[in-house]
Amino acid sequence: MQLLRRAQKLEPEALGQIHDLYYMRIYRYVAFRVQDQHTAEDLTSEIFLRLLTALHDRQGPQHTLQGWLYGAAANVVKEFYRRQVRFMTAPLAENMAENGRTLDDQYDLILLRQNLVAVLQDLTDEQQNVLALRFGYELPIREVARLLGKSEGAVKMLQARAIGSLSHRLVALGVEA
Amino acid sequence: MKVLQESILVDCLDRLEAGATVAEILAKYPDQRDELMPFLTTAVALSASIPPPAVAQTEARQRFLAEAAALRRQRGKNFGAGRLTRLLRALVLGQVVG
């Protein structure tokens, strides 16, 4: 709350803290929805600029940043898809070099993620959104349920169906997860 | 591939989130092992982070703070202009009334 109050005054330290706290989570949420690294980076920047504009116009978050940022991220992703006449995907894993993995492990992981990216788009919008919130934004089930206005049981079921659907598609593609 | 009961899938995800390993969960459901294996490894793959290049985050932070500085200056100007306008109004009103 204190951080939000300071952000409303556009204090640089508070804004820097907010950027550090939320950038990765917002980026990962967006990356789950748009599947292209550069687009995800651009859209994440746009979300933070919207936060600034809202704070400047005194229309920003009043109580919680997390919920506001999720709402802004969901809107930015929707607008992005509206703007897209044709959706192009690019390998998400281009820069996914992971420390401490063997080259084979890295290759397997990259291959798996590329295939995941390809089949994610086959899921329903609702399923994609739940996965993005859970694995991108890293929200607990309770928070996802609150944001989407669903019961925790319903979110768990949606998540299980989405992952089940993904794994079926990966198996059909011959990808060993 | 057999269709698994959704309650089993939900339970597996709960266990995974609670910190159980894939092997531990598969041991709990030995009869469904073959069907559960791709499900669980997909869930684990989803959990793997997708870090953007560090430079993207750093550059984004710099742009964000530069924009904030510009808005702060604008806010300061607006505030100053507003105060000046109010002061002039008060002076004019004082002249008229006086």
Side-chain angles (χ1 to χ4, degrees):
Chain A
M1 202 55 134
Q2 181 65 22
L3 186 62
L4 184 54
R5 293 278 166 269
R6 287 168 50 217
Q8 284 164 344
K9 294 175 189 164
L10 298 177
E11 286 183 19
E13 277 181 23
L15 294 170
Q17 272 183 48
I18 287 171
H19 200 273
D20 293 343
L21 273 173
Y22 288 99
Y23 181 88
M24 283 290 279
R25 294 169 66 193
I26 296 285
Y27 169 81
R28 285 200 290 243
Y29 170 82
V30 175
F32 261 91
R33 302 306 313 274
V34 302
Q35 289 100 39
D36 172 72
Q37 184 169 11
H38 298 298
T39 306
E41 286 170 11
D42 289 346
L43 295 184
T44 304
S45 289
E46 193 175 326
I47 292 158
F48 279 98
L49 290 180
R50 282 190 188 193
L51 171 66
L52 276 185
T53 308
L55 290 171
H56 179 250
D57 295 342
R58 302 183 202 284
Q59 290 173 343
Q62 298 300 314
H63 306 292
T64 133
L65 269 167
Q66 180 170 276
W68 193 94
L69 284 169
Y70 160 69
N75 282 335
V76 165
V77 168
K78 265 186 210 157
E79 288 163 22
F80 166 76
Y81 277 115
R82 280 194 205 117
R83 287 197 300 267
Q84 291 291 303
V85 177
R86 193 162 162 232
F87 181 57
M88 306 276 290
T89 58
L92 178 66
E94 263 174 11
N95 296 296
M96 267 191 61
E98 305 236 343
N99 294 330
R101 291 181 188 275
T102 65
L103 276 178
D104 278 353
D105 283 350
Q106 275 195 38
Y107 177 75
D108 286 348
L109 188 62
I110 287 170
L111 196 66
L112 174 60
R113 279 223 62 98
Q114 281 180 336
N115 281 290
L116 264 178
V117 161
V119 294
L120 264 170
Q121 292 172 79
D122 296 337
L123 300 181
T124 66
D125 188 60
E126 194 174 42
Q127 287 176 333
Q128 285 186 45
N129 202 29
V130 164
L131 293 186
L133 285 169
R134 291 283 291 130
F135 297 99
Y137 209 22
E138 295 182 334
L139 289 181
I141 293 280
R142 193 189 319 124
E143 276 300 298
V144 177
R146 196 180 60 75
L147 282 174
L148 301 182
K150 292 182 182 295
S151 70
E152 291 183 29
V155 171
K156 283 185 177 186
M157 206 62 95
L158 252 174
Q159 176 184 251
R161 278 184 201 147
I163 297 173
S165 188
L166 280 180
S167 66
H168 275 103
R169 284 171 165 81
L170 289 172
V171 168
L173 285 172
V175 178
E176 287 293 323
Chain B
M1 192 173 175
K2 282 186 283 185
V3 176
L4 287 161
Q5 281 178 27
E6 284 181 338
S7 58
I8 294 180
L9 301 182
V10 168
D11 180 57
C12 288
L13 292 178
D14 281 347
R15 287 172 188 276
L16 203 59
E17 190 169 11
T21 64
V22 170
E24 286 166 349
I25 298 169
L26 291 176
K28 169 89 181 157
Y29 294 104
D31 295 342
Q32 287 88 10
R33 185 187 169 85
D34 290 348
E35 292 76 30
L36 278 178
M37 179 67 102
F39 175 81
L40 287 169
T41 43
T42 301
V44 171
L46 280 170
S47 300
S49 61
I50 317 165
V55 68
Q57 183 170 358
T58 309
E59 285 175 3
R61 192 183 197 275
Q62 284 167 353
R63 279 198 304 274
F64 177 70
L65 292 178
E67 183 67 21
L71 288 175
R72 240 184 345 267
R73 282 194 296 274
Q74 195 181 322
R75 191 182 266 187
K77 274 184 196 165
N78 290 347
F79 180 70
R83 280 181 71 177
L84 187 63
T85 308
R86 281 194 297 277
L87 186 66
L88 286 173
R89 254 192 220 135
L91 283 171
V92 170
L93 196 65
Q95 291 286 334
V96 171
V97 173

